[in-house]
Amino acid sequence: MLKIKNLHARIDEVEILKGINLEIKAGEVHAIMGPNGSGKSTLSSVIAGREDYEITEGSIEFSGEDIMELSPEERAHMGLFLSFQYPVEIPGVSVTNFLKTAINESRKGRGLEPMPAKDMLKKMREKMAMLEMDKSFMSRAINEGFSGGEKKRNEIFQMAMLEPKLAILDETDSGLDIDALRVVASGVNKLRNENNAILVITHYQRLLDHIIPDKVHVLQGGKIVRSGDKNLALELESKGYDWLKHEPAI
Amino acid sequence: MDQFKDKLLSSFIVFENQLNGQKNKPFHQLRRSAIDTFETKGFPTVRDEEWKYTNLKPLFKKDYNVFHSSEESLEFRDIRRYFLSESDTYKIVFINGFFASWLSSTTHQNYDVCTFSSALEKYQDIIDEYAGTIARNEDSLTALNTSFAREGAFIHIPDGKVVDRPIEIIFFTTDGDNNTFIQPRNLVVVGQNSQCNIVERHQSLGNQHTVSNCVTEVLAKKGAQVTYHKIQNDAPNASLIDSTTVKQEKDSTVTLHTFSFGGKLTRNNLEFDLVEPGAQANLYGISILNDYQLVDNHTVVNHISPHCESNELYKGIFDDHARGVFNGKVHVFPHAQKTNAFQENNNLLLTDTASIDTKPQLEIYADDVKCSHGCTIGQLDEDALFYLRQRGIPHKEAQALLMFAFTTDALRGLKIGELKNKLNRLIARKLSVNIDFDL
Ligand SMILES: Nc1ncnc2c1ncn2[C@@H]1O[C@H](COP(=O)(O)OP(=O)(O)OP(=O)(O)O)[C@@H](O)[C@H]1O
Ligand SMILES: [Mg+2]
């Protein structure tokens, strides 16, 4: 589904990603952990097509296609979704109208007719119920005045509406209270199937208790310095990142 | 400029001779003194502080026809798109300055929705009481309009009436062989506790240059509620100088929306006199311009009486080489205590070649007042743009959505459904997208 080879990326002359290799297959859940500033959000922005980064080396393939030249919206139309670490507030655009536009533009991008308004509304109601969100969010401006946790929940609501093939969840757990974490994680699990994949970026094991990863990677200094199974996350939780420095990288 | 000025002065004599009996009415004295004012002052130039950023010289260097022949071949279906509705509005329609009765839908039943020329004949008492008492007669372009004032919209709502549908006023100009200069004159008198909604448009249908020098006087009597919408989306060869003066009595509310999306040069002189306590003036403006378009919004709110409120919010988006001017004056007179005046002007510049000159002017001569003002100039938020695109909304549509979002504060409170639909379409077309803004 996603194949990243030797990816180097820089911004403002500073190299942030220094040779990332990552392959995610359909049906898999991968987790990326790593210290602050190691390049996790940069990696997700680059995969999603943010144009501020300059890619100096390497390649990104998604669904068997080289997506390096594609715009963010084209990647989204292919089924790529990024749940932002810091969702953006957009006053003046309601959640409902935003989603309606996003879904119909995505459908248009795939050569489909717009979704009938009735179906859209029904789907919104269902997904809101799944994520235990209040209906009043539908008429509010996107993320405007939302609490930290509400923003994250709203990201997953959008994911549920858009049904992506690959969802990158950048610290979706931060800001969520314990109950919200459970609701959001179970929402994510309900969206999983053998045809899609999830890349979870997190600092904490607690999310991985709910969304169990097939693989865990440690990103440090712009490189993946270690990969392993879910036990690696547990090990990190108890030992921190420092112990990796003393171990030879793989 | 001088040539066209001379032409206007000599045209006045011709015009006067066409007036017949009207020449002996009191209103004509106004015209006479107005032409003197215009003769003395002439067209404003950039040396004039109020016209510093907008140069009329290129406009009035050209020659224009001042007298027109009536045009009767326009059919409603060909110009349907300029109207809000086929049957659910009153309509006062003009072509090249002449009333087009077959396109209009006037009334005299509970109130008068008709033409200025018929009011000059039939409602002389109302004309004598109000016409020329609200406008700024010392302003040279207003004076020019007054000196030729004969045709335009006349709306007179007696006390205690709610006008049952919106009133559309449209001034068309059609292709002739020459450039066209027209000077509509509107009078709106809304009685005590009465209500009405007005939508005004100027539309050039031809390829020649058109200049409209339009003057509108609005009186809102005690408790009246008036909403006035100006849709300015004219052709690239059309320019408009609009001078609208509003006088508000006790507890009246007047909301004036100016939507500027098109035209070559648009100058809006908008002036409010709040003369009795409890009057509330709302001034909302949205300009979305590209190419070499220019919109110059000059507003003045005169807080003459205590306990009045004014809210002013102007939003501008400028692309390509478009230019904007915002000059907002709030004048709080001595004794106008407990004044509440809010003013804000926000702008987005989409290119390095677009520009805005913005100048708030507060003149406050009372001490117990609440006044605030602010202006901003910025660009589209890149993070928001990326967020929208990540969700599958293409670049152009994402930009359009953000631009629309930027204007929404100034769109709140629109009540006419057809108008909202029309504005949605106009804004979408202006931004070259096909999306629903959920207005
Ligand atoms: N415009 C820029 N110029 C220079 N450095 C930048 C720029 N933008 C980001 N960086 C740096 O890139 C590094 C990686 O940032 P990134 O947001 O990817 O980290 P992260 O792993 O997501 O961290 P966190 O866990 O705190 O979210 C940081 O050190 C950051 O300061
Ligand atoms: Mg991050």
Side-chain angles (χ1 to χ4, degrees):
Chain A
M1 169 141 328
L2 181 74
K3 209 182 268 181
I4 297 175
K5 279 192 202 145
N6 190 30
L7 185 69
H8 290 254
R10 49 166 58 204
I11 184 163
D12 297 338
E13 310 294 308
V14 185
E15 183 160 64
I16 313 281
L17 302 182
K18 300 171 181 168
I20 303 264
N21 291 292
L22 181 67
E23 183 169 356
I24 303 176
K25 296 201 174 68
E28 289 184 344
V29 174
H30 286 227
I32 292 184
M33 304 182 81
N36 294 132
S38 57
K40 303 181 298 297
S41 295
T42 303
L43 176 63
S44 43
S45 295
V46 169
I47 298 172
R50 180 128 197 183
E51 282 144 358
D52 309 72
Y53 299 95
E54 188 197 346
I55 295 175
T56 50
E57 245 186 285
S59 65
I60 309 174
E61 262 180 38
F62 177 54
S63 294
E65 231 183 277
D66 174 1
I67 58 167
M68 303 271 278
E69 298 295 321
L70 299 186
S71 64
E73 55 268 32
E74 285 168 323
R75 298 179 198 206
H77 297 169
M78 287 176 71
L80 192 76
F81 180 89
L82 169 59
S83 169
F84 285 65
Q85 182 176 0
Y86 303 109
V88 186
E89 300 197 7
I90 308 182
V93 180
S94 72
V95 169
T96 304
N97 196 45
F98 167 58
L99 268 174
K100 199 176 82 185
T101 312
I103 288 175
N104 284 336
E105 290 295 339
S106 293
R107 290 176 68 95
K108 194 156 83 184
R110 297 185 194 121
L112 299 172
E113 289 293 306
M115 185 186 281
K118 213 174 71 208
D119 298 358
M120 182 95 64
L121 211 62
K122 188 164 165 264
K123 190 168 176 179
M124 281 191 203
R125 291 228 176 85
E126 271 169 31
K127 304 299 181 188
M128 284 210 151
M130 177 180 91
L131 290 160
E132 298 178 17
M133 284 170 78
D134 194 275
K135 282 195 302 293
S136 65
F137 280 100
M138 289 170 77
S139 55
R140 283 176 67 178
I142 312 164
N143 297 322
E144 191 188 23
F146 287 24
S147 75
E150 287 167 347
K151 283 181 184 165
K152 297 303 173 73
R153 204 186 284 231
N154 184 43
E155 292 289 281
I156 301 307
F157 167 59
Q158 293 181 39
M159 171 185 166
M161 289 299 295
L162 290 161
E163 298 175 338
K165 272 204 212 155
L166 174 68
I168 304 170
L169 311 184
D170 191 355
E171 295 198 26
T172 299
D173 52 338
S174 63
L176 291 176
D177 66 44
I178 299 157
D179 292 335
L181 183 76
R182 200 177 20 79
V183 171
V184 165
S186 91
V188 170
N189 284 330
K190 278 184 200 138
L191 297 170
R192 284 179 62 181
N193 60 46
E194 66 277 15
N195 298 317
N196 60 26
I198 296 173
L199 176 60
V200 184
I201 295 171
T202 184
H203 286 295
Y204 305 105
Q205 172 60 35
R206 53 174 203 171
L207 178 67
L208 303 179
D209 289 339
H210 297 277
I211 308 173
I212 296 156
D214 299 295
K215 285 208 175 116
V216 176
H217 312 275
V218 179
L219 186 65
Q220 214 166 5
K223 276 188 187 157
I224 290 181
V225 296
R226 167 134 349 188
S227 296
D229 62 11
K230 60 181 184 193
N231 293 317
L232 177 58
L234 292 166
E235 208 167 349
L236 285 169
E237 182 106 319
S238 62
K239 296 185 184 167
Y241 293 109
D242 258 2
W243 66 277
L244 282 172
K245 285 187 187 153
H246 312 297
E247 302 255 321
I250 43 160
Chain B
M1 293 237 268
D2 286 348
Q3 240 170 7
F4 188 55
K5 181 184 169 190
D6 290 345
K7 178 173 180 167
L8 286 164
L9 293 175
S10 53
S11 298
F12 181 73
I13 299 161
V14 181
F15 171 75
E16 215 175 16
N17 285 328
Q18 294 173 350
L19 285 174
N20 303 323
Q22 283 287 334
K23 230 173 13 185
N24 305 318
K25 306 254 171 99
F27 186 72
H28 191 58
Q29 291 312 312
L30 266 181
R31 293 196 189 101
R32 282 233 170 107
S33 67
I35 196 73
D36 291 342
T37 304
F38 176 67
E39 184 169 13
T40 315
K41 294 192 170 171
F43 287 109
T45 69
V46 288
R47 284 188 301 278
D48 187 333
E49 185 60 30
E50 298 298 318
W51 289 86
K52 208 161 114 186
Y53 300 108
T54 299
N55 189 359
L56 290 177
K57 205 166 171 180
L59 210 60
F60 288 121
K61 238 171 30 193
K62 296 191 182 70
D63 184 44
Y64 297 87
N65 270 4
V66 178
F67 298 106
H68 313 286
S69 46
S70 58
E71 155 76 70
E72 284 164 12
S73 63
L74 265 191
E75 288 191 46
F76 186 76
R77 64 183 146 85
D78 299 329
I79 48 175
R80 165 69 182 91
R81 66 179 178 282
Y82 300 113
F83 293 90
L84 288 189
S85 154
E86 192 155 342
S87 52
D88 297 338
T89 53
Y90 295 111
K91 297 181 183 66
I92 322 173
V93 182
F94 303 89
I95 305 172
N96 301 332
F98 288 94
F99 179 55
S101 59
W102 71 98
L103 300 173
S104 298
S105 159
T106 56
T107 184
H108 292 290
Q109 233 162 29
N110 294 311
Y111 24 79
D112 297 296
V113 176
C114 61
T115 64
F116 195 78
S117 63
S118 67
L120 284 172
E121 300 284 349
K122 288 194 287 192
Y123 306 113
Q124 211 189 313
D125 47 335
I126 297 169
I127 292 288
D128 292 343
E129 190 171 353
Y130 303 112
T133 65
I134 305 163
R136 299 292 175 249
N137 297 316
E138 68 287 356
D139 171 67
S140 65
L141 289 168
T142 298
L144 176 60
N145 176 288
T146 301
S147 47
F148 288 87
R150 179 166 49 176
E151 194 54 291
F154 175 78
I155 297 168
H156 179 236
I157 320 293
D159 294 347
K161 302 278 183 205
V162 176
V163 178
D164 60 350
R165 48 192 118 147
I167 301 167
E168 296 193 73
I169 308 170
I170 307 195
F171 300 97
F172 290 106
T173 48
T174 59
D175 218 357
D177 295 332
N178 272 304
N179 300 328
T180 305
F181 182 69
I182 60 166
Q183 301 206 81
R185 177 70 172 222
N186 307 315
L187 178 61
V188 178
V189 177
V190 184
Q192 292 191 9
N193 301 314
S194 290
Q195 297 177 19
C196 73
N197 293 306
I198 299 168
V199 180
E200 179 194 319
R201 267 186 103 147
H202 299 257
Q203 190 64 46
S204 155
L205 302 171
N207 302 313
Q208 304 290 339
H209 290 273
T210 300
V211 176
S212 307
N213 179 37
C214 184
V215 171
T216 302
E217 296 178 281
V218 179
L219 173 63
K221 293 191 185 174
K222 186 178 158 191
Q225 293 185 31
V226 183
T227 310
Y228 203 126
H229 313 84
K230 290 176 182 273
I231 301 179
Q232 303 174 339
N233 187 41
D234 213 340
N237 53 3
S239 296
L240 169 67
I241 300 163
D242 182 84
S243 302
T244 295
T245 316
V246 181
K247 183 174 168 183
Q248 289 188 238
E249 296 180 353
K250 194 173 182 342
D251 298 330
S252 62
T253 302
V254 176
T255 303
L256 199 140
H257 292 270
T258 305
F259 306 104
S260 308
F261 306 138
K264 181 188 178 71
L265 179 156
T266 305
R267 164 70 175 233
N268 292 304
N269 297 315
L270 181 56
E271 191 152 350
F272 280 75
D273 290 342
L274 308 178
V275 298
E276 287 178 8
Q280 182 181 340
N282 302 312
L283 299 75
Y284 298 119
I286 295 175
S287 307
I288 307 177
L289 299 184
N290 61 350
D291 202 9
Y292 282 89
Q293 295 171 332
L294 164 68
V295 163
D296 178 346
N297 284 306
H298 263 65
T299 66
V300 182
V301 180
N302 292 309
H303 280 270
I304 297 165
S305 159
H307 292 283
C308 291
E309 182 178 329
S310 63
N311 300 297
E312 180 168 14
L313 182 58
Y314 274 71
K315 301 265 185 175
I317 301 175
F318 304 94
D319 201 353
D320 301 332
H321 291 79
R323 275 207 310 129
V325 179
F326 176 79
N327 189 309
K329 190 191 272 185
V330 175
H331 187 167
V332 182
F333 283 59
H335 315 301
Q337 305 296 4
K338 305 287 179 194
T339 285
N340 225 327
F342 165 86
Q343 183 192 80
E344 179 93 22
N345 171 233
N346 307 125
N347 302 285
L348 286 181
L349 295 182
L350 304 183
T351 63
D352 293 341
T353 44
S355 69
I356 170 82
D357 289 291
T358 170
K359 183 175 162 198
Q361 257 178 294
L362 300 186
E363 291 179 15
I364 301 170
Y365 301 103
D367 47 26
D368 187 10
V369 300
K370 257 197 235 153
C371 292
S372 71
H373 71 93
C375 68
T376 61
I377 301 173
Q379 281 88 36
L380 281 182
D381 177 356
E382 288 294 328
D383 289 334
L385 207 54
F386 178 61
Y387 187 77
L388 294 174
R389 295 177 74 189
Q390 203 303 302
R391 297 298 189 257
I393 302 174
H395 193 211
K396 202 163 65 165
E397 282 73 13
Q399 281 185 314
L401 213 52
L402 290 179
M403 288 189 239
F404 176 79
F406 171 78
T407 66
T408 49
D409 292 354
L411 281 170
R412 285 203 188 113
L414 287 179
K415 285 183 294 249
I416 309 169
E418 281 296 330
L419 179 68
K420 290 196 210 177
N421 294 341
K422 171 129 298 189
L423 285 168
N424 193 111
R425 287 195 296 273
L426 282 173
I427 294 174
R429 177 141 27 99
K430 184 72 195 177
L431 302 175
S432 316
V433 293
N434 182 17
I435 49 178
D436 185 359
F437 292 115
D438 200 20
L439 213 162

